[in-house]
Structures are given as structure tokens and as C-alpha cells.
Amino acid sequence: MTVFIIRRLLQSVIVVAVMTLLVFAGVYAIGNPVEILISQDATEVERAAAIARLGLDKSLPEQYLAFLGNLLKGDLGTSFVFGEPALQLVLERFPATMELALSAMLIAVFIGVPLGLYAGLRPDSIGGRTIMTGSIFGFSLPNFWQGLMLIMFFAVILQWLPAGGRGVRGEFLGIESSFFSWDGISHLILPAINLALFKTSLVIRLTRASVRETINLDYVKFARAKGLRPRRVIGLHVLKNIMIPLVTIIGLEFGSVIAFAVVTETVFAWPGMGKLIIDSIFQLDRPVIVAYLIVIVCLFITVNLVVDILYAILDPRVRLSDQKA
Amino acid sequence: MSLLSIENLKTHFFTKAGVVKSVDGVSFDLDRGEILGIVGESGSGKSVTGFSIMGLVDPPGRLVEGSIRFDGQDLVGMAEPVMRDLRGRRIAMIFQDPMMTLNPVLRVDTQMIEALRAHGRWSDDAARQRCRDVLGQVGIPSPEERLKSYPHQFSGGMRQRVAIAIALLHEPDLIIADEPTTALDVTIQAQILFEIQKLVAENNTAMIWVTHDLAVVAGLADRVAVMYAGRIVEMGTTEEVVNRPFHPYTSGLIGSAPSRNPRGARLTQIRGMAPLPMNLPTGCAFRPRCDRATEACIIEPDATTPESEHLVRCYHPLSGASDWGTTA
């Protein structure tokens, strides 16, 4: 187990290194940030000064090596645009995105799994069919349009919930978060639902398919033949087995929700990382792009590690040390 | 009074393609301590008969007719909680594939103790003690350690022993064994057959042994019922049925068993294939494959007992052992 985790972390370092190299080269190829950052009527001297200040006068390999050197000191560079440390910019917006992603995944799991179970256990019932039809809407409606409609109904027409922004954050045990104030939660509901709809549909369909598959297996019949209550047969024998595919998907989707919440954050003016990265790409703010991607890669690695560990807990046949991940 | 008395049981499956009459008018009695072998090809309805008794027929299947009297009460139409209380406690079941009957993600102790606790309060210590005892009974070495193992850490034969142990936990009156040795090595098969026979005799447990292998049943069962296309076509004491089959199908089954033929002799075959359950021939379902079939067979033959305790459903029963292999 320990060996497995250590090997995993070493692999992660390589992934991060390769990723930074690609992003460096990629952003370099797209264009010169100086064109965007410096006003048209700046003099040659001002231009040269700015280029030197941003470190853009050196060759690409030199810039990259300098970046790596700073990286080892925990310095991911200073934003070209904001003039603040890039990592700090990203991390400032990280909690907002995490809140959104976490709420969305919680909704997806706590609504998706029970509905999927129901649809899987009673596939021919009206309820089961309705759930499945509903889930088609969930993953086929365009995310931005769905968001706009939510704002229309709940914010504009019914005026139940605010249309955008993050609201006032509450504090609990020294942690500041939207979860701890009603205003924060009310701002969170709509974007979280918007982000969760697609994932919920996915979880419903996956749960249903797994239940349909598992319910006919001998060990479920055997469990029933032992005289167990349906609650135990479903709640333990079936559920523990379908958790294995579910955990994989939920893990992967959690990563993608964090990384790609951009549309929802834009529609609901949610001050998260998604908005920052889009702005940074437009302005070729390389340090921020790189810092953002490093954070995301680390997150993905963590999520995948957690998924693998959960696997071993859920499925005794999996032995982490044997795995060449 | 018999422990189990099944009368005209019909279990049909209502699929989109049509009605499959898996079990279509099965009747038999079973006494305490008696072993009944149900023999038949795949799809003859032998397993469905077992599941019908357990009340574990899932939609689109349904018991459409008949009664299953178990120790005086009719299981057909019994309320689910009452049925559930019988399941595992008084009627237990063993399945065919030991690789599939134990839940792969739960430890053996979890799966055994939950079976105990489904039918009453058991303290941890008492439950573990009971599990150890029963595992020991079915021949599992060092049961204490094995309790903490997961199913994948057992061999096929060991897993089947665990499944048998679970079936024996409550010392049921009736065990339904659905081909429990089919998936095992022959040596393991023999061991398990021997042990089951011993355990059943010790506890005076009745057993229904479902199999496609007449040879297995011959050494185990007191009586044999031969099923074909959802009906019992022949039933009698094992000795009677195996040595003096009346029904041409039974005779064909015996003739096609390698062990019963001299080395080098050509095995007799039953020609044709088992009929599709969706469109069975009218009358005797075995008619198209039978050499003795005549016009009369177009009408379903009734069960007759040419000799007491030996039932057959055929207009042209074979008269005795000399008729073996009349398929020529």
C-alpha cells in the first residue's frame, strides 16, 4: 500500500513536469503576451523594459529552466496581468470552485444513486420509466441554456434565489465558506444544480445499468434464499457491488467538474477558477495558466489515488501492491 | 403426511416473445429425510421447480396454478414476510456455480452471520461459534481463519462447501440443491456428494437434488423424477427408474451416459434437439424425438402407474430392462 502510494506520487511528479513543458511550449506558440499587455503607443524603450521585467527577453529553454528553478522554491511566477503571484491568484479562487463542485457531486450522488436504484429495481414501473426519460434531458440539454432557464424561473420569475455571485460567506471553525451562511447557500443552489444535472443523469444511468446487471446474479438470489430482508439484499449485497463502477465514475467526474465548471461559473458569475483560466488564456497570462494546470493536475492525481484506495476497500480482490497503475 | 406435497404446479414466464411454460403441471410428494432427484436437460424446468418452491421466481415468471404444501401450509400465495421466514430457516437452497453464489465483496463470516440473524437474535460469540461448527461439519479445515476470508480466497470446492454450510446453518427440513456438483472436479464432486448424503441423513433433512446427470442421482437419491419440457415424464424409486425405465426418454438418457456402456460401444443418442420452450409440440412433447411415437401421442398422455410407485407419462412405455437402447 505504502509502496503503491509512493510510486504513484513519483509518477505524478513526472506528469506535472511533462505538463508544464507542454503548456510552456503551447502558450509560447500561441502568441506574444507583450502585444496584449503593452499599449500600442508605448515607446521602444518602454517595450524593452516590460519584456525584460516579464522575463520574456530570454529564450524559451532559458525561461523554462528559470521556471523550474522557481517551482522548486514553490514560486510559480507572477501573473503578467495582475502582477500578483500566480499560485496565489489560483488558490484564492480555488475554494469557490471546490464549493461548487462538491455541492454538484453531492447532489449527483445523493439524488442519482437512489433514483438509479429505483429505476433499476422497477424498470417497468411508471416511476422507473419517468426517471430514465428525465435523465435523457439531464445530459442532452445544453449547460449554458439550462443555466439561463434556471435563472429565468427561480431568480427572475419566482425570485426565490439570487441570479449570480457568491454571496456572503459564513465562518465555522475558522473556515470561511458559502456552506456556513444562508446567503452563501442560496447563491450556491442554482449553479450547483446546473452543474449537477448532467452528472446526476450519468449517475442514474450507471446505477440503473449496474443494478440490472447485479440483481440477476446468483449471489443476490442466494442472499434472498437465505431469507434476508430486501433492504439488506439491496442495501448491502447489491449496493456494495455496484459501488465499484460508481466510485470510478464519480471520481473521474469530480475531477472534471472542478476543471471544467467554466460554463456554469460564467453564467452565474461565480468567482471560481474557471473564469480566471478563461481570462488568462485570452490574455496569454502564462504563469496563471501554468499554475492553474498544476493545481488541476495535482487534484486529478489526488482524486485518482483516492479512487484506487477506495477500490481496494470495496473490492477485496484488488490488491494495490500488485497493480501497475 | 409428507413434508412437501406439490400438486399440479405451473410456473410460466410471460416474455415478449410468448409464454414459456417452464413448469407445466408438476406433482410430487417428498417425505422427511427423503432425497428426490430431479433429472432433465437444460430448459426442462427442473431448476424453475426448485425456485418455485423457494418462492424466488422473478417476473416475468409467475406461478399460475397448483399448490405447494410444505409441512401443512400452502406456499403458493403466502405473504412474503412469512415466506421469507421459511427461506433459509426451514427450506434452504444450494446453487450450481460456487464461483457465483457467494458475494465477492463480503467476507465469509458476514455472509454466514447475516444468514443466522435473518432468523433470530444471535450474539456475536454464539453466531461465530455456530458458523465454525457448521464449517467444520462440511469439512473446511481451520474454520476460524476461513471465516475471515473472502470468497476469492477459496477454491471452487471449498466455496461450495461454504454455500452448503450456509444452507445447513438452521438445520432446515428441506434443502433444494440445484446442480451443486456440476461445476466441480469429479474428485471434489464425489467428496461433496458423500458428505451431503451423510449430513442429510444425520439431520433427517429432505432434499431435492436437481441435476442433468443421472449417474449422480443414481448413487444418491431415494427416488427419481425425470422431467421433460416442464412435465415429469417418469418418477419412481431410483432403482426402478434406472434399471427398468418405462419412458423412452429416460431410456435414452440412460443409454447416452458413457459410464453405463461397455468400453468401445457406441453411445446411443436421443435424436433431434430439446424442443424450444416457446413452441412445444402438441401432445407428448417428446413425440418428435421418439421412435415409439404413434398417432396417439398427439394427445397429451396422462400419468399412469403401471406398477405402484412407478409413474410414467407415455402411451407406449417400455416394459423393462431388455428394452434398453431401442432407439436403434
Side-chain angles (χ1 to χ4, degrees):
Chain A
M1 183 84 155
T2 322
V3 177
F4 169 80
I5 293 174
I6 291 170
R7 191 167 56 202
R8 244 330 172 51
L9 292 177
L10 285 176
Q11 287 168 347
S12 314
V13 172
I14 299 170
V15 171
V16 170
V18 172
M19 189 273 301
T20 53
L21 187 62
L22 287 175
V23 174
F24 241 77
V27 177
Y28 189 80
I30 296 172
N32 190 350
V34 177
E35 309 294 342
I36 297 168
L37 293 171
I38 296 168
S39 58
Q40 295 295 317
D41 45 327
T43 63
E44 267 315 299
V45 183
E46 282 171 340
R47 262 183 83 86
I51 290 172
R53 182 166 48 83
L54 297 176
L56 294 172
D57 50 343
K58 301 194 191 77
S59 69
L60 184 66
E62 277 174 323
Q63 288 182 37
Y64 184 64
L65 285 177
F67 163 78
L68 282 187
N70 289 333
L71 182 64
L72 294 178
K73 288 181 270 174
D75 175 11
L76 293 183
T78 305
S79 164
F80 295 161
V81 180
F82 299 94
E84 286 175 47
L87 187 63
Q88 190 190 318
L89 273 172
V90 172
L91 290 183
E92 267 169 16
R93 287 162 177 77
F94 186 73
T97 297
M98 273 305 265
E99 275 170 8
L100 192 57
L102 209 62
S103 335
M105 281 325 278
L106 285 177
I107 293 173
V109 171
F110 284 99
I111 295 194
V113 173
L115 289 185
L117 260 181
Y118 183 86
L121 293 173
R122 303 191 192 288
D124 296 321
S125 66
I126 295 173
R129 285 167 192 271
T130 312
I131 291 167
M132 292 319 286
T133 316
S135 76
I136 295 175
F137 285 105
F139 64 75
S140 49
L141 292 179
N143 204 244
F144 70 91
W145 181 82
Q146 186 184 285
L148 293 174
M149 289 300 118
L150 284 176
I151 294 178
M152 267 267 281
F153 278 106
F154 294 100
V156 179
I157 297 177
L158 296 173
Q159 303 207 334
W160 287 353
L161 295 163
R166 198 174 168 208
V168 181
R169 273 153 287 165
E171 208 187 286
F172 181 70
L173 297 176
I175 305 164
E176 203 179 69
S177 164
S178 298
F179 289 131
F180 306 130
S181 81
W182 169 242
D183 189 52
I185 291 173
S186 69
H187 278 85
L188 192 57
I189 292 174
L190 283 185
I193 289 178
N194 190 48
L195 198 56
L197 268 172
F198 181 92
K199 308 297 171 197
T200 311
S201 312
L202 194 73
V203 171
I204 288 177
R205 299 190 82 84
L206 184 72
T207 309
R208 177 184 183 271
S210 312
V211 169
R212 302 290 309 139
E213 206 175 285
T214 312
I215 202 83
N216 289 318
L217 293 179
D218 272 0
Y219 61 76
V220 174
K221 273 214 159 176
F222 189 61
R224 291 166 65 197
K226 289 194 284 194
L228 301 182
R229 286 164 195 284
R231 191 187 294 172
R232 182 154 178 110
V233 176
I234 304 298
L236 182 70
H237 287 263
V238 173
L239 206 59
K240 195 161 180 202
N241 274 282
I242 68 168
M243 282 314 282
I244 296 166
L246 271 177
V247 161
T248 322
I249 293 298
I250 290 169
L252 284 176
E253 291 299 319
F254 183 60
S256 84
V257 160
I258 293 170
F260 311 116
V262 183
V263 174
T264 299
E265 288 185 359
T266 312
V267 171
F268 290 91
W270 188 261
M273 294 189 297
K275 193 136 186 339
L276 175 71
I277 184 67
I278 290 294
D279 293 343
S280 303
I281 290 172
F282 280 133
Q283 294 172 312
L284 296 175
D285 194 349
R286 192 179 64 204
V288 177
I289 301 174
V290 173
Y292 169 81
L293 286 171
I294 288 178
V295 169
I296 292 297
V297 166
C298 291
L299 210 94
F300 262 92
I301 289 164
T302 315
V303 168
N304 280 327
L305 191 64
V306 170
V307 166
D308 279 336
I309 293 169
L310 279 178
Y311 259 169
I313 295 170
L314 285 172
D315 191 342
R317 290 164 296 186
V318 175
R319 284 286 160 266
L320 289 183
S321 47
D322 304 335
Q323 218 173 281
K324 296 217 166 51
Chain B
M1 191 181 63
S2 338
L3 175 71
L4 180 74
S5 172
I6 293 182
E7 201 63 55
N8 195 29
L9 177 70
K10 292 188 178 177
T11 304
H12 296 176
F13 287 78
F14 299 86
T15 66
K16 280 183 185 136
V19 179
V20 179
K21 297 176 177 174
S22 292
V23 176
D24 201 24
V26 162
S27 308
F28 62 83
D29 290 337
L30 188 68
D31 287 327
R32 279 178 196 279
E34 189 183 18
I35 301 180
L36 172 72
I38 299 184
V39 184
E41 291 168 281
S42 314
S44 59
K46 53 195 196 311
S47 296
V48 176
T49 306
F51 282 117
S52 302
I53 300 168
M54 292 297 289
L56 286 179
V57 175
D58 288 322
R62 189 152 53 85
L63 270 72
V64 289
E65 219 183 299
S67 71
I68 304 172
R69 295 197 76 78
F70 173 77
D71 202 17
Q73 22 183 359
D74 196 344
L75 304 186
V76 179
M78 183 180 258
E80 176 57 23
V82 187
M83 187 68 222
R84 193 175 61 233
D85 182 52
L86 291 181
R87 251 184 240 138
R89 189 170 67 86
R90 300 200 58 196
I91 312 176
M93 192 159 182
I94 310 169
F95 287 66
Q96 176 171 359
D97 187 354
M99 297 302 181
M100 292 299 298
T101 36
L102 298 175
N103 193 328
V105 301
L106 298 174
R107 278 185 357 191
V108 168
D109 54 358
T110 315
Q111 301 192 48
M112 291 189 84
I113 292 171
E114 70 174 2
L116 282 174
R117 290 194 169 144
H119 303 289
R121 291 173 176 279
W122 284 80
S123 72
D124 279 349
D125 286 344
R128 298 196 87 83
Q129 185 57 46
R130 175 77 189 137
C131 294
R132 276 197 297 273
D133 291 349
V134 182
L135 284 180
Q137 266 180 40
V138 297
I140 289 187
S142 51
E144 180 61 53
E145 284 165 42
R146 297 316 241 159
L147 270 179
K148 289 180 191 133
S149 309
Y150 284 95
H152 72 274
Q153 293 163 313
F154 289 77
S155 68
M158 282 295 161
R159 286 193 215 187
Q160 195 61 291
R161 284 168 201 264
V162 172
I164 293 167
I166 291 175
L168 291 173
L169 277 175
H170 291 283
E171 296 180 350
D173 300 301
L174 171 64
I175 295 179
I176 298 165
D178 187 3
E179 308 212 32
T181 56
T182 309
L184 302 176
D185 287 343
V186 189
T187 46
I188 307 291
Q189 189 174 335
Q191 285 174 15
I192 288 195
L193 276 175
F194 172 75
E195 274 160 29
I196 286 189
Q197 216 168 359
K198 198 181 64 167
L199 291 166
V200 169
E202 278 168 11
N203 299 327
N204 201 28
T205 310
M207 186 150 80
I208 296 175
W209 190 282
V210 174
T211 181
H212 63 259
D213 189 348
L214 205 70
V216 166
V217 154
L220 177 79
D222 301 309
R223 284 192 304 143
V224 175
V226 179
M227 279 190 80
Y228 190 80
R231 293 193 173 95
I232 292 181
V233 292
E234 179 160 12
M235 180 161 62
T237 62
T238 309
E239 202 182 283
E240 279 278 321
V241 173
V242 173
N243 293 332
R244 294 200 316 125
F246 285 161
H247 201 283
Y249 176 64
T250 315
S251 149
L253 274 186
I254 295 167
S256 43
S259 53
R260 301 204 128 250
N261 288 273
R263 186 186 156 83
R266 198 178 168 82
L267 296 177
T268 48
Q269 298 175 14
I270 303 176
R271 64 186 164 83
M273 288 194 298
L276 290 173
M278 215 76 81
N279 57 16
L280 291 176
T282 52
C284 173
F286 189 57
R287 181 166 56 92
R289 303 171 75 186
C290 182
D291 291 306
R292 302 172 72 93
T294 60
E295 304 263 307
C297 303
I298 292 172
I299 296 159
E300 168 73 27
D302 285 329
T304 52
T305 44
E307 284 169 30
S308 65
E309 303 293 305
H310 193 162
L311 168 151
V312 67
R313 258 177 206 272
C314 184
Y315 291 115
H316 313 291
L318 305 162
S319 49
S322 57
D323 276 310
W324 275 16
T326 40
T327 41

